[in-house]
Amino acid sequence: MPLDEEYGAPSDEEFETRVARAMHHTTGEFPPHSADLVRRSVGQGRRMRLYAAARITAAALAVVAAGGGLLATGALGGHGDGTPERLRTAAQGRTGQPASRAAAPVDGDEMVRTLRSLLPPGGTVSHASGRGTDEGESGVRPAAELTYTTAEGSSGIDITVGRLDPGIPGDQQGDGGCLPVEVRPYDTCTTQKLAGGAVLDTTKSFTYPNADSGQKRWYVVLTTADGAQLTVQEFGGGGEKASSGGADPLLSVAQLTSIVRSPAWHKVIAALPAPQGTPATPAERAPGARLTRVLKAHLPHGGTVSDVNASDGLVQLVHDDGHGKNMVEVDVQFDRTDDLAGHMGCAGVSGDCAATTLGDGTRVKKVRGTSEKGGSAQVWSVDVLYPDGRRVLAREVNSFAESAPVTRPRPELSMDQLRDIALDKGFFTG
């Protein structure tokens, strides 16, 4: 992802594409500003929907030994045995101890030289900048970006290399995996498992993923079996958001794949610190399989279910009763009493809102509104907050994705049906 002035922070668009996955896997420091506390996010308000504290699991990976473990497997080589590590990792372990370094550092200039050396001949390079393995305050994420120009046009190209945190589930960090249709309706994504445990993800998307037009963004993510991740992305017409046209990027997805799998990155990966420390104790969790099972039990019979996207704390799926696709989502959280104080009423909520308190103190908030993503979709939701802080948010949209064209006149489930879903304690007990 392109470098930012703030230590290479991910771009707005890249953040947008990842927030969804992070959202349902995290508990929040920020309460939703509306009943629509949804998914991966979107628009400039997406950051408010990201629950700040990641749910941690207690699995630990073996770390890469000095120069040896990763390099010996040929993780980036042309045979595909291995994968680089995931981004967005901390430079220190969970105990706060400094992470050890396996090899000599690589500076930003070398990152740029390496990326340039892997580009097709005949083009020119401009606006190049890089960050080395010793730079950045919030983690070690060496990167390089540049603009590549030929007689055919220009593309903005950048690469980032990082290491996944072994204490956090892989789907809650990094750039790998295909995002669900509910979040990215216009992506074309494939995932391939390589020999040796590496995973290669390729995606054709748009800089603004809520539309199927405008600047094209293609990216490839290679994740090694031992937790390194390389992400190369390309923007058609120049740097990110530098063009509003729909020209294809100059390099094909196959050429981008060749870049991330090049052995030239071995030295960079070897210079990354290995995570240390003991993973935190896992928080309460609602397994995705359980959420899926309970939600499906409430859906009308005779319809079809597709595009199931489930993980701890959240399930999304598309249900079609024969009259059009309808996205349904359930988000399950714990310890939300303080975070949602003042947000379970209707003050300041746009749309048709009703809030009640049941006899046992459970608060229920029902909202019929419209999409905040600029489309014409209707978004209906029922938010339930139990006295002990458990929360269930059930939502539906009269489309297969909130930013996609509507597929039916109104959402499929009635508000009473949505309320029954949100009040089902089976989400917590199985």
Side-chain angles (χ1 to χ4, degrees), residues 20-366:
R21 183 178 300 147
M23 271 192 68
H24 40 268
H25 290 298
T26 55
T27 64
E29 291 180 356
F30 297 100
H33 63 289
S34 74
D36 176 18
L37 160 50
V38 191
R39 251 292 96 148
R40 216 148 225 149
S41 148
V42 188
Q44 296 300 321
R46 67 181 76 86
R47 296 178 188 272
M48 296 182 64
R49 294 179 194 150
L50 175 62
Y51 311 143
R55 297 178 186 274
I56 307 303
T57 59
L61 297 174
V63 298
V64 179
L70 178 61
L71 301 182
T73 63
L76 303 181
H79 299 294
D81 29 335
T83 60
E85 230 175 352
R86 294 204 168 216
L87 319 176
R88 301 188 201 162
T89 63
Q92 292 186 339
R94 297 200 170 275
T95 59
Q97 299 174 349
S100 61
R101 187 175 296 282
V106 174
D107 64 21
D109 289 342
E110 185 169 358
M111 288 293 297
V112 172
R113 287 195 300 271
T114 301
L115 178 57
R116 290 186 66 157
S117 71
L118 299 173
L119 298 176
T124 60
V125 169
S126 61
H127 303 97
S129 62
R131 183 179 60 246
T133 56
D134 280 340
E135 301 174 48
E137 293 183 358
S138 60
V140 178
R141 296 175 52 220
E145 70 170 342
L146 51 79
T147 299
Y148 176 72
T149 302
T150 70
E152 304 291 323
S154 296
S155 280
I157 302 171
D158 63 76
I159 187 165
T160 309
V161 183
R163 186 177 300 285
L164 298 181
D165 189 327
I168 300 176
D171 61 356
Q172 295 180 26
Q173 56 178 323
D175 297 320
C178 292
L179 298 176
V181 67
E182 294 92 340
V183 178
R184 299 293 294 269
Y186 305 112
D187 279 11
T188 301
C189 179
T190 63
T191 294
Q192 178 184 2
K193 293 184 178 179
L194 306 178
V199 178
L200 182 72
D201 301 299
T202 65
T203 304
K204 290 186 175 183
S205 186
F206 297 87
T207 299
Y208 296 98
N210 294 332
D212 58 352
S213 61
Q215 186 183 38
K216 293 182 179 180
R217 170 181 174 257
W218 296 353
Y219 63 98
V220 176
V221 182
L222 180 63
T223 308
T224 62
D226 36 9
Q229 188 173 83
L230 285 84
T231 300
V232 62
Q233 63 177 351
E234 181 182 17
F235 296 91
E240 180 181 9
K241 301 179 182 177
S243 171
S244 60
D248 283 351
L250 296 178
L251 274 63
S252 67
V253 168
Q255 288 173 305
L256 295 177
T257 300
S258 178
I259 290 175
V260 294
R261 296 185 66 179
S262 170
W265 302 111
H266 284 171
K267 181 179 179 181
V268 180
I269 294 175
L272 295 173
Q276 295 180 357
T278 304
T281 302
E284 289 184 276
R285 55 190 287 270
R290 178 200 300 164
L291 303 187
T292 303
R293 183 173 63 251
V294 175
L295 175 56
K296 283 184 175 181
H298 284 274
L299 298 177
H301 297 294
T304 59
V305 172
S306 63
D307 299 298
V308 177
N309 170 44
S311 54
D312 288 355
L314 183 136
V315 58
Q316 293 176 311
L317 54 79
V318 175
H319 187 259
D320 191 340
D321 61 357
H323 300 285
K325 293 183 176 181
N326 193 76
M327 191 272 281
V328 187
E329 160 182 292
V330 172
D331 195 346
V332 176
Q333 304 160 24
F334 297 85
D335 301 321
R336 296 288 283 163
T337 301
D338 292 340
D339 295 325
L340 291 176
H343 291 271
M344 290 302 293
C346 290
V349 176
S350 60
D352 181 11
C353 178
T356 58
T357 301
L358 304 183
D360 64 355
T362 298
R363 305 189 67 179
V364 180
K365 177 179 174 180
K366 301 187 293 184

